[in-house]
Every structure is written in C-alpha cells, then in structure tokens.
C-alpha cells in the first residue's frame, strides 16, 4: 500500500471557521435552534436568489425532501424512474406506497431516455422521477412533452444539480418539483441537508406544511406530514458556505479540465456527454470499454492500491438490489447495465491539488503497463 496520503472521491468544502462563529453566536443568543428560525429563512431566500428559482424549502436531507416532494403531489400508482442512480431515488417511491418502474438510460448522457420512458407508460403510471445524473441535465423538453401528453407529474431528483444551468437558466425550474441534496459529498453542503424547489407560493406552503408534521396552522392539519426541518446550525453552515460557492465551482471546473486534457486520446476511455451551459462538475465519471488494458474493477482495485479511492457510482444498479429485483422494467435496462459495469468516478473537489490530479492521471494512463 502506498505511503502517500489517500485521495478520496470527494472532500467536503468547509468555510473558514471564523466566518461560521458569528452565526453560531447569534443562535446561542436567540436560543432559536430549529422550526423555521431566522437563519433557515435567510438561507431559503439566499439560495432562491443564488439559484435563480422562485421558492426554496430547506430540508434536513435530500432523501426526506424527495419523500416529501412525491407526497406533496398526492400520487397513486406507478412512477417511472432510472435504475442508474443512488438507492434513495427509488426508496422515496416505495416509502410513498408507490410502485417503481425502471426505464433505460441514454448511452451518451446516462440520464433517462425519453423513448424508454414513453415505452414504459401504462394506465397505472402517475409520475416520472428522472435524475440529472452527475449534474448533467436530462432532456427536460422531451420529458415535459411526454408528461403533458400522458397527464403525468414530474419530480426531478436534482441531488447532483446545484447551480447547473441550461439555456433557459437553472435546470431546477423543470418539472413540478425538483429536489436538491446538500449532503457533505455535494458541491454545496450544509453537512446534511436538502431542498425542494417549487414554482408557486401555494405549492411551497404545501411542501412546508408537509415538512412540519402537516400542520396548516396551530389547530389543523392539511395532511400526514413528517419532520423534515433543517435546523439553525445547518442553515448557518449553508450561509457561510454560500460566500465561497463560486470559487469552489471554479476550482472544480479546473480539475475537470485537467482530467479531460490528461485523458484525451487514452484508448478505451469515454466521457459521458453533458449539455449544461453552466456545469457544476460535481462528479467526474469515466467509462472504460474493452479497449482499455484493464477491466473497470481491475483499475478500481489498482487505484486503491495506489491510495486513490475512485468510486463506482452507480454500481450495482438500483434494480439489482434485492428489494427491486422483481420491479417492472428490470429486464429492459441494457444501457444502464453497461454503464454500471463501465463507470468509475474520479476524485474531484476544490481542494484536490494539481499534484494529486497528476497522481490520478498517471495511475490511469500507466494502468496495464
Ligand atoms: N438522489 C441521488 C441521485 C443521490 O445521489 C443522493 C445521495 C440522494 C438522492 C439522497 O440525498 P441525501 O439524503 O444523501 O442528501 C454518498 C452520499 O451519502 C449520498 O448523499 C450520495 N447521494 C451518494 C451518491 O454518495 P456514500 O456512501 O458513497 O458516501 P461515503 O460516506 O462513502 O463518502 C464518499 C467519500 O466522501 C468518502 O470516501 C470520503 C468523503 N467524505 C464523506 C463524508 C460523508 C468526507 O470526506 N467527509 C464526510 O463527511 O454515499
């Protein structure tokens, strides 16, 4: 095993501690720790401004936000989703008493294929749950067209898509609702956290009520809610982080550019296509085919031996985990299966040094020699 420090797939960005302390002093003075406190409200507004979206509802994590988004739309039946994602995507469907149906992905951008969505629609279909995988935008125009023609709701799992923009602005504007993760491993983190982006004040009110046990006011419930509230500590972290997000995104772009240059022309390596106008470089996936001298798992292992902890996001496919093996669609996801067998996500985060990037590149380009 190598003696040099390990390189993990990601390292969280943290604001300078002295910038967090004034927020914490305020919390200690006020004694307001949670339940829509002032920092929580401030962060919701600051994020709406930064992201260019009308309504943000903060949550304690992305999974609870996803559960609540599906709940808010009062769905019944089948939800078409991608098997090429983190398990939380499908878990949110099942926790709502809905039935996940898996459709295949597009080989180029690794997001749900509109044609595969359309082919999976039945009388029971009530919604589509696409993922902007690695922050690469889905074909939202095609998905909106399918949803309109079949009268379906669309909830975007935008866990990876903080600050990503297409020609029309933030991609969080697509769908009935979009859900962010603000987890430690994401480009913008509040340690743990999540958010729902709504497009109307009435929908934000509904989401906010469901986040708070379903209370419409002190004496009435609008439904069966949960507890998804973000507390003041996490909101303080978010406010301090936001002051540094642009420099973090800029360094991620530099890292991605160095990887792209270093891997250009290496036989057997393909980069998925991403059509974003502004990308966040939240992940750096590479796909290895038979022309690469090692198999994906061999390279993964060889990198580990060199102290480089790339990750196989997303292997196994969600539909290959036991609870999902009998779901409809699992036999029609050949592109997702191929990607899951070929993908390796390289380390990418703002603190990754040029020397570390070279270590990663040398390990890949020297593989098999
Ligand atoms: N939808 C999608 C498409 C998602 O990808 C996710 C989460 C969700 C929904 C749900 O959102 P949340 O409920 O999580 O907000 C990670 C994350 O836990 C998870 O948030 C993420 N997606 C998923 C893709 O990856 P692991 O098990 O791979 O994380 P872990 O602990 O191995 O961390 C990876 C590396 O990051 C470590 O090797 C070192 C570094 N790290 C991690 C943490 C937590 C740190 O340096 N410090 C830390 O505090 O799941």
């Amino acid at each position: 095993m190598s003696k040099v420090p390990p390189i993990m797939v990601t390292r969280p960005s943290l604001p300078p501690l002295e910038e967090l302390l004034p927020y914490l002093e305020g919390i200690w003075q006020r004694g307001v720790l949670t339940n829509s406190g002032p920092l929580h409200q401030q962060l919701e507004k600051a994020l709406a401004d930064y992201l260019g979206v009308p309504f943000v509802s903060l949550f304690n994590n992305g999974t609870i936000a996803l559960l609540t988004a599906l709940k808010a739309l009062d769905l019944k039946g089948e939800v078409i989703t991608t098997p090429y994602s983190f398990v939380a995507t499908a878990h949110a469907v099942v926790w709502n008493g809905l039935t996940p149906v898996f459709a295949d992905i597009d080989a180029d951008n690794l997001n749900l294929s509109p044609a595969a969505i359309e082919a999976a629609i039945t009388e029971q279909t009530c919604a589509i749950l696409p993922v902007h995988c690695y922050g690469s935008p889905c074909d939202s125009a095609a998905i909106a067209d399918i949803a309109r023609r079949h009268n379906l709701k669309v909830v975007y799992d935008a866990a990876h898509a903080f600050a990503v923009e297409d020609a029309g602005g933030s991609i969080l504007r697509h769908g009935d609702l979009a859900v962010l993760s603000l987890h430690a491993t994401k480009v913008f983190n509040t340690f743990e956290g999540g958010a729902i982006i709504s497009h109307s004040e009435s929908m934000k009110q509904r989401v906010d009520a469901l986040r708070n046990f379903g209370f419409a006011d002190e004496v009435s419930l609008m439904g069966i809610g949960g507890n998804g509230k973000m507390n003041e500590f996490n909101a303080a972290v978010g406010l301090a982080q936001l002051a540094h997000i642009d420099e973090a995104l800029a360094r991620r772009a530099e890292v991605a550019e160095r990887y792209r240059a270093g891997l250009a022309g290496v036989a057997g390596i393909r980069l998925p296509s991403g059509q974003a106008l502004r990308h966040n470089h939240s992940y750096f996936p590479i796909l290895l085919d038979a022309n690469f001298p090692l198999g994906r798992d061999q390279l993964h292992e060889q990198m580990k031996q060199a102290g480089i902890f790339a990750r196989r996001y997303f292997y196994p496919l969600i539909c290959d985990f036991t609870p999902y093996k009998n779901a409809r669609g699992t036999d029609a996801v050949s592109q997702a299966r191929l990607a899951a067998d070929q993908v390796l996500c390289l380390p990418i985060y703002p603190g990754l040094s040029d020397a570390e990037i070279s270590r990663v590149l040398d390990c890949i380009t020297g593989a098999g020699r």
Side-chain angles (χ1 to χ4, degrees), residues 91-152:
H91 287 357
V93 174
V94 178
W95 270 66
N96 270 284
L98 300 162
T99 306
V101 170
F102 295 105
D104 208 357
I105 59 172
D106 180 274
D108 289 334
N109 70 13
L110 309 182
N111 287 324
L112 265 181
S113 143
I117 295 173
E118 188 125 33
I121 293 172
T122 67
E123 286 289 295
Q124 277 70 50
T125 309
C126 60
I128 309 167
L129 175 54
V131 177
H132 297 296
C133 196
Y134 311 128
S136 282
C138 291
D139 186 344
S140 298
I143 291 172
D145 180 55
I146 294 170
R148 185 185 46 76
R149 283 188 284 108
H150 296 271
N151 194 25
L152 305 174

Side-chain angles (χ1 to χ4, degrees), residues 8 10-12 62-63 85-86 157 159-160 181 183 186 311 313:
M8 311 311 283
T10 189
R11 283 283 187 205
T63 303
S85 180
F86 191 56
D157 180 337
H160 306 167
S181 166
H183 181 259
K186 301 297 185 288
R311 291 291 288 267
Y313 297 129

Side-chain angles (χ1 to χ4, degrees), residues 56-329:
V56 173
S57 299
L58 288 169
F59 275 78
N60 50 5
N61 62 60
T63 303
I64 299 295
L66 212 45
L67 285 169
T68 309
L70 292 170
K71 181 82 180 162
L73 296 176
D74 203 13
L75 304 168
K76 281 180 192 58
E78 294 182 346
V79 177
I80 297 173
T81 190
T82 170
Y84 190 74
S85 180
F86 191 56
V87 288
T89 308
H91 287 357
V93 174
V94 178
W95 270 66
N96 270 284
L98 300 162
T99 306
V101 170
F102 295 105
D104 208 357
I105 59 172
D106 180 274
D108 289 334
N109 70 13
L110 309 182
N111 287 324
L112 265 181
S113 143
I117 295 173
E118 188 125 33
I121 293 172
T122 67
E123 286 289 295
Q124 277 70 50
T125 309
C126 60
I128 309 167
L129 175 54
V131 177
H132 297 296
C133 196
Y134 311 128
S136 282
C138 291
D139 186 344
S140 298
I143 291 172
D145 180 55
I146 294 170
R148 185 185 46 76
R149 283 188 284 108
H150 296 271
N151 194 25
L152 305 174
K153 299 289 185 193
V154 181
V155 175
Y156 277 99
D157 180 337
H160 306 167
F162 188 91
V164 176
E165 293 177 5
D166 61 18
S170 169
I171 65 169
L172 302 171
R173 76 186 186 285
H174 298 302
D176 293 279
L177 294 168
V179 177
L180 283 169
S181 166
L182 308 180
H183 181 259
T185 55
K186 301 297 185 288
V187 294
F188 176 82
N189 83 78
T190 56
F191 286 21
E192 288 271 5
I196 296 181
I197 285 54
S198 333
H199 307 306
S200 69
E201 190 139 21
S202 59
M203 181 54 89
K204 176 168 165 55
Q205 277 168 6
R206 184 171 170 76
V207 164
D208 289 354
L210 286 170
R211 180 181 63 184
N212 185 32
F213 310 101
F215 280 115
D217 55 45
E218 230 174 280
V219 291
S220 54
L221 293 174
M222 49 66 72
I224 309 293
N227 181 356
K229 291 172 272 118
M230 175 179 278
N231 68 51
E232 288 289 277
F233 178 82
N234 295 116
V237 172
L239 286 165
Q241 297 277 38
L242 204 51
H244 299 276
I245 183 66
D246 285 335
E247 54 188 285
L249 291 171
R251 175 60 188 161
R252 279 179 179 275
E254 280 174 16
V255 176
E257 200 39 56
R258 280 177 182 266
Y259 276 147
R260 260 195 295 274
L263 296 172
V266 177
I269 292 188
R270 176 169 79 85
L271 307 183
S273 70
Q275 300 298 327
L277 213 64
R278 181 194 192 200
H279 209 292
N280 64 8
H281 307 284
S282 47
Y283 295 83
F284 196 92
I286 62 172
L287 298 163
L288 300 157
D289 67 24
N291 295 317
F292 193 76
L294 297 182
R296 188 274 311 271
D297 290 345
Q298 286 173 301
L299 177 63
H300 185 215
E301 200 47 49
Q302 191 163 309
M303 291 177 84
K304 274 195 215 167
Q305 294 305 317
I308 300 166
F309 294 87
R311 291 291 288 267
R312 294 173 295 179
Y313 297 129
F314 290 100
Y315 170 87
L317 291 180
I318 300 178
C319 60
D320 287 341
F321 284 103
T322 302
Y324 296 103
K325 279 187 175 153
N326 295 323
R328 189 158 72 76

